[in-house]
Amino acid sequence: MNYLVRTAQLKDLADLVDVLSNSFHASTGIMRWFSPILRLGVYEDLRQRLRSPDSDNYICFVAVALIADNSLTTAPVVGTVEVTLKPTFPLQVCSSTPYPYLSNLAVKLDCRRQGIAQRLLEASEKAVKDWGCRDLYLHVLEDNYQARRLYSKVGYKVKQTDPLWRSLIFRQPRRLLLHKTLTSFSTS
């Protein structure tokens, strides 16, 4: 199947919620009772970001499956990623230099390992270069080996690791802050 990466539109919202909810929020066991609330939260957050007038500092990409006739009218969203220009680097109160931050990279389970995530990352990196930035940051959980392998494959390196005490207190895997210096820097 062929896929196209484009900017997200409000009409993609329901598909985006499905992809993100199924990727990041398990709906098994007790969590299935909270699933509708989590989905509503994801819906409202995304709707606000997609409608935001501050599009110079935010972009959401989607990967859509091209139907046999290459029609985009009913093409389902199979992957997504968001990039935001954040005002200050984490834990740096003095710096006011904005930095690009990638989040919510997700691909539908049955569409994984087809290069979709890599194409979404390429679109994000191009957008960041168009913003005049040459670095890109993201967080990944220490135990998310598939994501870590992908990020490593495309050039991301560990810049910072959450302290061990935080992981012990919150009983969650540590977050790794990854960084990539983008090549062929553009000033357009």
Side-chain angles (χ1 to χ4, degrees):
M1 184 171 282
N2 291 325
Y3 300 97
L4 171 75
V5 173
R6 62 169 171 77
T7 56
Q9 302 164 3
L10 278 173
K11 70 178 183 172
D12 300 320
L13 206 45
D15 285 346
L16 281 167
V17 169
D18 285 341
V19 171
L20 289 167
S21 296
N22 293 334
S23 294
F24 296 117
H25 304 293
S27 59
T28 57
I30 188 98
M31 288 308 293
R32 78 171 178 245
W33 298 105
F34 296 104
S35 182
I37 295 167
L38 289 171
R39 290 176 66 82
L40 180 61
V42 170
Y43 179 90
E44 285 302 319
D45 284 346
L46 266 172
R47 187 172 69 85
Q48 283 298 105
R49 287 194 296 272
L50 290 175
R51 292 178 59 186
S52 172
D54 195 11
S55 60
D56 290 341
N57 296 331
Y58 171 81
I59 192 163
C60 178
F61 290 105
V62 293
V64 293
L66 294 175
I67 310 302
D69 65 354
N70 286 344
S71 165
L72 295 178
T73 55
T74 59
V77 171
V78 297
T80 185
V81 67
E82 296 175 78
V83 184
T84 307
L85 199 56
K86 295 209 174 210
T88 58
F89 199 72
L91 304 176
Q92 273 188 321
V93 206
C94 300
S95 173
S96 62
T97 305
Y99 70 98
Y101 183 80
L102 187 138
S103 61
N104 295 333
L105 176 62
V107 176
K108 282 179 69 170
L109 187 59
D110 60 340
C111 296
R112 292 182 183 165
R113 304 202 52 82
Q114 298 179 37
I116 296 168
Q118 196 162 342
R119 290 185 56 198
L120 287 163
L121 287 171
E122 289 167 1
S124 301
E125 291 171 8
K126 182 184 180 318
V128 167
K129 287 190 239 179
D130 290 346
W131 288 346
C133 301
R134 69 169 127 204
D135 296 296
L136 185 54
Y137 297 88
L138 63 93
H139 276 102
V140 65
L141 294 178
E142 187 175 44
D143 66 349
N144 189 343
Y145 301 110
Q146 284 184 317
R148 287 179 60 190
R149 192 173 316 122
L150 168 69
Y151 295 133
S152 176
K153 177 181 171 184
V154 296
Y156 287 84
K157 304 218 181 309
V158 176
K159 176 136 181 113
Q160 181 179 331
T161 302
D162 279 353
L164 183 58
W165 63 263
R166 184 173 184 208
S167 133
L168 294 173
I169 289 174
F170 295 110
R171 296 182 179 204
Q172 294 179 338
R174 292 193 293 181
R175 292 180 323 152
L176 307 175
L177 178 65
L178 303 185
H179 165 259
K180 180 176 181 180
T181 299
L182 306 175
T183 57
S184 65
F185 174 62
S186 142
T187 56
S188 58

